[in-house]
């Protein structure tokens, strides 16, 4: 018995020594610095944003379909009834939640790249505006961060102006994802939705439209600035019909966030991308960014490259209910000249060289 007790005492002593050694090792280990913690928070904020846009709608739809075949089927039934009842809300200004725009995670999202907003002229709350956002890039990071989140100070720079951002109407058919989009101030890129904001929602509304759309994302690559704009005139006609001022904006650095495999015009892969874009509304791009654990690995997260969105001078537009094609062309040309001026005056300030040009197709 004494032998057993002695052995147990030795084991307990050894265990205490092991625990003490482990604690000393833990305390001696270097703790993460504030800089490391900030980097992790920034990475996680970008991760949740990318996963939300790529997976939230699809996962929610699959989950609701799965629940139909379980005892929780009333959840799917009630949500379907809600969508039917709430079907037109996205076309009527949506359902903004200011608390989501002020969500602290967006500051970490901003600082990851970082994203910066530059104001060149005032926007009067007595008018409505259509802001042309260029370029599209892969995921429109600059447009989202500046016009949907409050992290870059849009509200302070442009007091009295309510920003909205348009996106594909099909996104508002996906369960849960539609609520997420509306809460931030996104609306469908349709005549009805834009017309509502410009005519039935008072003044001080600024509707940002990524003019180039999905077609422009196919030409997105670092070092090349190509915009699909020459035949995109619907936004000008909308501005004339509602008397909304046109405002050009350009996000320098947007095309540097991902690497894309660009297929040449006329190739069979390019043809497949264009056909898919016409049928589904978006283009299937072959791109990659950095991985989750290392900048050197490949993954689906954007590279940390600075983005500077410069908002240009508003172009006064008269209200003409049925503008002629000549009038639309005239104001479209004025907008293009204003955009080119904005680009050329700021390109050397934000990472481009004096010889870089803006190609408009």
């Amino acid at each position: 018995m004494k032998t057993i007790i002695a052995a147990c005492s030795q084991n307990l002593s050894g265990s205490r020594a092991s625990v003490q050694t482990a604690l000393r090792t833990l305390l001696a280990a270097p703790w993460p610095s504030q800089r490391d913690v900030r980097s992790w928070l920034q990475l996680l904020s970008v991760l949740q944003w990318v996963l939300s846009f790529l997976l939230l709608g699809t996962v929610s739809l699959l989950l609701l379909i799965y629940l139909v075949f379980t005892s929780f089927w009333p959840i799917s039934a009630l949500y379907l009834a809600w969508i039917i009842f709430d079907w037109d809300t996205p076309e009527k200004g949506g359902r903004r939640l200011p608390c989501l725009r002020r969500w602290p995670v967006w500051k970490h999202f901003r600082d990851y790249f970082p994203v910066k907003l530059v104001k060149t002229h005032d926007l009067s709350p007595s008018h409505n505006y259509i802001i042309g956002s260029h370029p599209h890039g892969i995921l429109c990071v600059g447009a989202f961060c500046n016009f949907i989140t409050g992290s870059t100070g849009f509200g302070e720079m442009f007091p009295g102006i309510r920003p909205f951002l348009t996106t594909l109407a099909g996104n508002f058919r996906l369960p849960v994802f539609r609520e997420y989009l509306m809460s931030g101030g996104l609306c469908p890129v349709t005549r009805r939705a834009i017309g509502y904001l410009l005519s039935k929602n008072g003044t001080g509304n600024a509707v940002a439209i990524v003019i180039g759309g999905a077609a422009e994302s196919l030409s997105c690559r670092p070092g090349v600035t190509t915009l699909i704009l020459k035949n995109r005139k619907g936004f000008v006609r909308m501005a004339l019909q509602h008397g909304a001022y046109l405002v050009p904006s350009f996000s320098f650095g947007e095309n540097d966030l991902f690497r894309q495999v660009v297929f040449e015009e006329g190739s069979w892969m390019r043809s497949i991308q264009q056909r898919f874009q016409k049928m589904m509304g978006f283009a299937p791009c072959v791109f990659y960014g950095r991985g989750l654990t290392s900048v050197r690995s490949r993954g689906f997260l954007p590279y940390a490259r600075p983005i500077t969105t410069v908002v240009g001078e508003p172009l006064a537009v008269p209200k003409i209910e049925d503008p002629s094609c000549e009038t639309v062309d005239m104001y479209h040309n004025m907008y293009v000249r204003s955009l080119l001026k904005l680009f050329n005056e700021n390109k050397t300030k934000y990472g481009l060289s004096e010889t870089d040009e803006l190609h408009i197709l």
Side-chain angles (χ1 to χ4, degrees), residues 22 56 60 68 72-73 93 100 186 189-190 201 204 213 246 291 302 313:
L56 181 59
S60 300
V68 169
F72 296 99
W73 64 266
L100 183 65
L186 284 102
V189 60
T190 61
N201 200 41
L246 289 168
E313 182 179 4

Side-chain angles (χ1 to χ4, degrees), residues 146-159:
N146 288 298
F147 302 129
I148 293 302
T149 80
S151 62
T152 57
F154 185 96
E156 291 74 23
M157 291 186 190
F158 303 101

Side-chain angles (χ1 to χ4, degrees), residues 290-312:
R290 59 157 292 179
L292 181 61
T293 58
S294 172
V295 178
R296 297 179 180 85
S297 61
R298 292 187 180 184
F300 55 88
L301 295 179
Y303 291 107
R305 303 285 188 271
I307 303 173
T308 304
T309 300
V310 184
V311 179

Side-chain angles (χ1 to χ4, degrees), residues 19-293:
V19 170
Q20 291 173 354
T21 302
L23 287 174
R24 290 195 197 97
T25 304
L26 181 62
L27 293 174
W31 287 83
S33 64
Q34 290 185 351
R35 181 178 180 181
D36 292 333
V37 173
R38 285 196 300 268
S39 296
W40 295 341
L41 290 175
Q42 291 167 11
L43 189 63
L44 289 174
S45 68
V46 174
L47 176 64
Q48 66 82 25
W49 179 78
V50 171
L51 292 179
S52 296
F53 270 82
L54 296 182
L55 297 178
L56 181 59
T58 303
V59 171
S60 300
L61 178 60
L62 294 176
L63 178 60
L64 288 175
I65 293 174
Y66 168 75
L67 292 179
V68 169
F69 302 98
T70 69
S71 57
F72 296 99
W73 64 266
I75 296 177
S76 299
L78 288 173
Y79 190 79
L80 177 60
W82 164 252
I83 287 184
I84 294 174
F85 173 79
D86 196 54
W87 189 261
D88 289 335
T89 299
E91 304 274 354
K92 296 181 178 179
R95 194 166 35 247
R96 296 165 67 98
L97 292 178
C99 61
L100 183 65
R101 292 175 57 85
R102 296 193 299 265
W103 197 18
V105 73
W106 299 131
K107 293 183 179 179
H108 298 298
F109 180 87
R110 171 201 65 195
D111 294 339
Y112 170 84
F113 297 95
V115 181
K116 181 182 178 182
L117 180 66
V118 176
K119 168 187 173 181
T120 61
H121 292 78
D122 291 329
L123 298 182
S124 171
S126 61
H127 300 289
N128 286 324
Y129 303 89
I130 290 181
I131 301 178
S133 180
H134 311 273
H136 183 283
I138 297 294
L139 293 179
C140 303
V141 173
F144 177 87
C145 191
N146 288 298
F147 302 129
I148 293 302
T149 80
S151 62
T152 57
F154 185 96
E156 291 74 23
M157 291 186 190
F158 303 101
I161 303 297
R162 294 182 297 275
F164 297 84
L165 178 63
T166 59
T167 185
L168 293 174
N171 289 329
F172 295 89
R173 304 296 179 252
L174 295 172
V176 181
F177 190 47
R178 69 190 294 273
E179 322 299 340
Y180 177 75
L181 295 177
M182 285 192 292
S183 63
L186 284 102
C187 63
V189 60
T190 61
R191 290 184 177 275
R192 183 185 177 192
I194 298 172
Y196 181 91
L197 294 172
L198 296 178
S199 62
K200 299 180 180 180
N201 200 41
T203 59
N205 301 294
V207 183
I209 304 176
V210 186
I211 309 297
E216 192 171 277
S217 64
L218 296 178
S219 301
C220 168
R221 53 181 170 178
V224 179
T225 310
T226 301
L227 303 183
I228 306 297
L229 180 60
K230 187 175 294 184
N231 295 318
R232 299 291 175 99
K233 302 178 181 180
F235 73 102
V236 178
R237 184 175 295 276
M238 288 285 294
L240 286 164
Q241 290 173 342
H242 298 283
Y245 287 17
L246 289 168
V247 183
S249 72
F250 196 93
S251 293
F252 294 90
E254 183 73 46
N255 284 351
D256 298 329
L257 304 182
F258 293 94
R259 299 291 182 267
Q260 181 180 185
V261 179
V262 178
F263 301 101
E264 297 297 329
E265 288 289 344
S267 65
W268 65 275
M269 279 299 297
R270 186 67 167 219
S271 178
I272 291 175
Q273 287 179 315
Q274 292 172 341
R275 290 180 182 178
F276 192 93
Q277 184 257 320
K278 289 180 180 179
M279 291 188 296
M280 304 300 295
F282 64 94
C285 302
V286 182
F287 66 91
Y288 65 89
R290 59 157 292 179
L292 181 61
T293 58

